Amino acid sequence: MSREDCSLKRATLLIVVLFAVIGLMANRVVTPSADAAVTDVNIVQASVNSGQLADVNVDLSAADETITISVSNVDGDASGLLVLLSCTPACPGDTGDPASTTVTVETDDVTDISLQLLVSCDDGGTVEVTATQNGSEESDTIDCIAGGAQLGGVYQVVVTANPNLLPCGGGTSEIVANAYDINGNLFPDPYFHFSTTAGLIEQTSDNTADLTLGPGQLTAEVSASIADPDPEASEPITSTVIVSLACNNFVSVVVTANPNVIECGGTSVITATARDANGHVVKGVGFHFATDMGLLVVHPNNAANEEGIAALTLQPGMTTATVTVSVGTTLGTVEGTTTVQQFCLGVTTNSSTAPGQITLNRSNDNLVCGEQIFIGIKVRDSKGQVPPDGTEVNLLATSGLIEPPTIGTINGVANVTYTAAAINGDVRITAAAGDSYGFTILKVRCATSSGTGSAGPAPCTPIGDGVCIAPPNTGGGNRITPPNTGEAGLK
């Protein structure tokens, strides 16, 4: 076969493959996100007089899919026009555009859309609002009552804010006001007067203004007023819109203490975060810390903070401190609490009873780095009695890992594991449960293996919450004695 024939065959094969690929691409079905769907359309009012506004709410799943909302006639001569007001969390495009029969929104994780519907009719009828997203469709209807007198004269005023939700640290929103006649026609060249309950309002044109909110100005109600053309009217026509800071959306404060059990004169780091209804952290929140005991040093807040931080130090003689962290909102105060426990050996506290005792029995005193052992816990209250089942014991190690760090007792005993860190030296393990306290000292060496150390904890048959029936087989180290037939405690 000649070289020319080979080249011709290669070219022919390439063309065939190219057409096959083009054919596959042309027939390929693009499947949109299965999560994108309209879940509900709700017109708040069942009926309105001709020329009045109705409120429309659209719920949808959070997805980056375009949604189209339209209004159409169902019965009679009723018609309607839609105005986009706001989205949750925020509309990716402009709001407050002139009223139209169709509104399109690039959802961009939007879950709720609010609109106003201007309904008009001469003889009466019904209109339907339909929302379509990714093939799913929901709708609702409203009746138009003919001959109804429009409230506030012959104008209907619509005010929008873009955006209506500002960052927690503050920002600026554009306020737009429009006036419509009874037939839904946009009134040309209106002049509005703007006012606000918070922040700074600056009028930028006859029907627009900029609202600026600073930190702490959580919400503002902006009013736009226009003169009523009715010569007998004594008041202007007014409409309002609400603008808020994002930090006004949280519903809970989560507070933690690290550690929550400290030794005499120790310090615990208190951390607080504000969470919204979905559990997400809200940035830039101002936290107020308070304690009923000890010295509290609070770190400064700023708009970029995701958490508030403070340091609590307890003096000898103090026992348990409760730290309360609160944040003020327009709806009230949201707060959370945590407790920090201190134990000082040989120091008399204000408690009316002597402290209880916790005994820590370890399966080995001398460990190599990374070695894991069992630690048996025996708890007795101030009267030497077995505490109720489920009494929580908090454990803290100066290095290494205790698992679990908090455990409930059964018959006054529990069992945890400790894994040594790659740090030479003594390790202090402290345990606390209510007024009961105890500790033990372990030695960790990384250079050579301990003569009495184990290769790891022996098999453990739990009888509840990690308590072992049989003690670890650790050779020469201290052992956990199994429960006897008496109180089933560790001896």
Side-chain angles (χ1 to χ4, degrees):
M1 183 181 295
S2 66
R3 181 176 302 176
E4 292 79 6
D5 291 338
C6 289
S7 299
L8 180 59
K9 286 187 176 182
R10 290 194 188 99
T12 302
L13 179 60
L14 180 60
I15 292 172
V16 171
V17 172
L18 181 60
F19 274 104
V21 171
I22 293 174
L24 288 173
M25 294 179 64
N27 292 321
R28 182 168 59 99
V29 176
V30 179
T31 304
S33 172
D35 294 331
V38 181
T39 57
D40 184 47
V41 173
N42 177 43
I43 303 176
V44 177
Q45 296 82 0
S47 63
V48 293
N49 294 329
S50 177
Q52 288 186 332
L53 288 172
D55 299 308
V56 180
N57 298 315
V58 179
D59 299 333
L60 54 147
S61 59
D64 298 337
E65 296 285 345
T66 301
I67 183 170
T68 301
I69 307 165
S70 59
V71 58
S72 58
N73 173 267
V74 174
D75 182 53
D77 67 343
S79 62
L81 295 172
L82 291 165
V83 177
L84 177 62
L85 291 183
S86 63
C87 307
T88 302
C91 296
D94 293 335
T95 58
D97 289 337
S100 62
T101 57
T102 301
V103 172
T104 301
V105 180
E106 298 291 340
T107 54
D108 193 20
D109 291 332
V110 169
T111 57
D112 299 283
I113 299 175
S114 297
L115 309 97
Q116 283 190 322
L117 170 67
L118 180 62
V119 182
S120 303
C121 62
D122 292 328
D123 302 321
T126 303
V127 295
E128 180 180 53
V129 175
T130 303
T132 305
Q133 183 190 33
N134 194 25
S136 64
E137 183 177 289
E138 295 289 339
S139 62
D140 198 5
T141 60
I142 185 173
D143 294 329
C144 178
I145 302 173
Q150 183 182 2
L151 299 177
V154 297
Y155 291 149
Q156 185 74 56
V157 175
V158 177
V159 185
T160 59
N162 184 27
N164 66 323
L165 189 63
L166 296 172
C168 189
T172 301
S173 175
E174 182 185 26
I175 311 300
V176 179
N178 285 306
Y180 299 88
D181 65 18
I182 196 169
N183 297 313
N185 298 314
L186 185 64
F187 184 80
D189 303 322
Y191 181 82
F192 291 90
H193 172 72
F194 292 91
S195 62
T196 180
T197 58
L200 175 65
I201 191 81
E202 294 180 303
Q203 190 150 351
T204 54
S205 73
D206 288 352
N207 73 319
T208 62
D210 286 340
L211 171 71
T212 301
L213 294 179
Q217 295 176 314
L218 298 179
T219 187
E221 183 178 32
V222 179
S223 300
S225 302
I226 189 172
D228 194 319
D230 184 352
E232 297 182 1
S234 59
E235 297 290 337
I237 305 170
T238 302
S239 187
T240 62
V241 68
I242 300 295
V243 180
S244 302
L245 299 186
C247 50
N248 194 28
N249 289 351
F250 58 81
V251 296
S252 65
V253 176
V254 178
V255 187
T256 60
N258 183 27
N260 62 341
V261 178
I262 59 176
E263 297 183 34
C264 205
T267 298
S268 176
V269 176
I270 311 299
T271 303
T273 56
R275 306 297 178 104
D276 62 19
N278 298 315
H280 300 145
V281 175
V282 179
K283 295 183 179 180
V285 175
F287 296 94
H288 175 73
F289 288 80
T291 180
D292 62 353
M293 190 178 296
L295 174 64
L296 198 60
V297 178
V298 181
H299 293 202
N301 290 298
N302 60 63
N305 280 354
E306 292 188 358
E307 57 191 19
I309 299 176
L312 174 69
T313 301
L314 297 181
Q315 299 299 322
M318 298 178 178
T319 53
T320 301
T322 298
V323 179
T324 302
V325 183
S326 59
V327 180
T329 76
T330 55
L331 301 178
T333 300
V334 180
E335 65 180 32
T337 61
T338 189
T339 58
V340 178
Q341 217 173 352
Q342 175 184 236
F343 286 95
C344 298
L345 295 180
V347 176
T348 303
T349 68
N350 295 328
S351 174
S352 60
T353 60
Q357 185 177 26
I358 297 179
T359 303
L360 300 178
N361 296 309
R362 54 271 175 218
S363 56
N364 189 9
D365 289 329
N366 301 290
L367 290 75
V368 295
C369 293
E371 184 175 350
Q372 187 181 67
I373 63 170
F374 283 116
I375 295 178
I377 306 163
K378 176 182 175 182
V379 183
R380 294 295 181 266
D381 62 18
S382 59
K383 297 180 180 180
Q385 302 299 313
V386 175
D389 285 354
T391 297
E392 285 195 347
V393 181
N394 297 307
L395 296 107
L396 177 69
T398 54
S399 69
L401 177 65
I402 297 176
E403 292 184 318
T406 300
I407 191 170
T409 61
I410 295 179
N411 293 327
V413 298
N415 198 67
V416 297
T417 61
Y418 169 76
T419 304
I423 301 175
N424 277 306
D426 292 348
V427 177
R428 181 185 178 101
I429 297 178
T430 305
D435 290 334
S436 301
Y437 168 81
F439 72 93
T440 188
I441 302 293
L442 305 176
K443 295 184 180 296
V444 177
R445 298 292 179 265
C446 295
T448 59
S449 177
S450 166
T452 59
S454 69
C460 171
T461 304
I463 60 174
D465 285 347
V467 180
C468 293
I469 291 178
N473 183 11
T474 58
N478 294 330
R479 299 187 177 189
I480 303 176
T481 305
N484 60 20
T485 56
E487 61 179 356
L490 298 177
K491 295 293 185 179

